[in-house]
Amino acid sequence: VRWGSTPIGDEIQERIRTRVGVSDLNAEDPRSRPARICSDLARLIAEEALSSRFTALDVACGDGLILRELKERFPEAACYGIDANVDQFPAHREVRESGVELFRVLIQDLFDGPPPVRLDVVMMLNTYRSWGDAGLSESELGLPQQVDAWLRANVRHIVLTMTRRQAVVWSAHGFGVQDLGPGEDESRLVRLTKVSRWRAPYEVARSLFGAGG
Ligand SMILES: C[S@@+](CC[C@H](N)C(=O)[O-])C[C@H]1O[C@@H](n2cnc3c(N)ncnc32)[C@H](O)[C@@H]1O
């Protein structure tokens, strides 16, 4: 698996600005990805659904700017990022200096075994929504299902950008789907949390994406 066309460099934020509307560099803007994720996590902490000493992993974290914001906002949290191109992004030096730990680990290896540490929050943005662009080889065609099973088994709060169709599947597995606003292009930024109260998948899909589509 290799998401092909990602720019390795500062231009990644230009791409995010085009797709999301606001770059991660504008973390003070409430519409930015880091602002929306941080305020959702702050709410979970206030509701005692998450410890302020949480652990978070960003899978295929790109330049890692969201992790840097998380670490700044929640200094007690342990923030980890994995990416195939760790230390190739110019921002990584600064991200590491902020206290974020970055590892060069491939997605296919991460999801091949149990999590190396307890993970309270796992993020996977601008990737999960389109496995079709991931260049999966014949032997990797089961990876999307493997990733879902791994996340369901091991992680309490999962932050993804996903399609309506993907949201319906998560909902059917008993996960609450909290809409955190626009994702890239047509996708939504969503936080999934295991809940006991069952909601009809179509009900969730409708609240996220409206009646059509
Ligand atoms: C589309 S970017 C998304 C970056 C980041 N999640 C974001 O939303 O800004 C895809 C990222 O996946 C990484 N990547 C591609 N194939 C990978 C693999 N097999 N294992 C780990 N990372 C991979 C790339 O280096 C790139 O940073």
Side-chain angles (χ1 to χ4, degrees):
V1 44
R2 176 155 281 282
W3 277 278
S5 64
T6 311
I8 304 299
D10 292 333
E11 63 273 28
I12 190 174
Q13 287 302 330
E14 207 37 61
R15 188 84 68 92
I16 289 162
R17 193 194 318 278
T18 310
R19 290 190 154 151
V20 181
V22 187
S23 103
D24 297 340
L25 289 163
N26 295 105
E28 74 294 341
D29 186 323
R31 297 169 304 158
S32 71
R33 301 193 302 175
R36 286 184 277 147
I37 293 169
C38 284
S39 52
D40 183 56
L41 296 181
R43 188 169 43 197
L44 288 177
I45 292 170
E47 291 169 356
E48 298 185 351
L50 182 67
S51 158
S52 58
R53 305 173 69 86
F54 66 86
T55 57
L57 170 68
D58 192 349
V59 178
C61 64
D63 59 18
L65 294 185
I66 296 181
L67 286 166
R68 189 185 63 183
E69 284 304 315
L70 243 62
K71 185 68 189 166
E72 226 161 75
R73 176 89 183 260
F74 308 103
E76 292 178 337
C79 299
Y80 309 112
I82 67 150
D83 199 280
N85 290 297
V86 156
D87 294 327
Q88 309 283 321
F89 288 90
H92 279 181
R93 216 182 111 131
E94 217 181 286
V95 170
R96 283 186 188 279
E97 281 167 6
S98 75
V100 171
E101 295 181 54
L102 298 175
F103 302 93
R104 189 183 176 279
V105 172
L106 297 176
I107 285 179
Q108 51 271 49
D109 296 333
L110 173 74
F111 293 112
D112 206 31
V117 290
R118 188 198 82 239
L119 294 170
D120 300 312
V121 179
V122 169
M123 299 180 280
M124 202 171 159
L125 310 179
N126 199 1
T127 43
Y128 183 89
R129 71 190 166 109
S130 70
W131 284 106
D133 297 334
L136 295 178
S137 66
E138 190 88 7
S139 65
E140 291 171 339
L141 292 178
L143 188 63
Q145 285 70 33
Q146 194 182 336
V147 169
D148 283 359
W150 192 98
L151 291 171
R152 282 201 297 271
N154 297 311
V155 188
R156 177 92 193 279
H157 304 290
I158 306 159
V159 180
L160 302 172
T161 44
M162 58 163 54
T163 63
R164 177 181 199 262
R165 187 185 290 260
Q166 289 173 316
V168 169
V169 175
W170 277 94
S171 171
H173 279 280
F175 279 76
V177 181
Q178 178 69 45
D179 184 24
L180 304 180
E184 312 85 21
D185 305 325
E186 299 303 303
S187 70
R188 301 295 293 181
L189 178 62
V190 154
R191 189 238 315 144
L192 307 160
T193 296
K194 186 91 181 161
V195 289
S196 43
R197 194 178 79 81
W198 189 82
R199 277 173 83 200
Y202 68 82
E203 202 190 300
V204 173
R206 185 170 300 175
S207 71
L208 271 176
F209 296 95

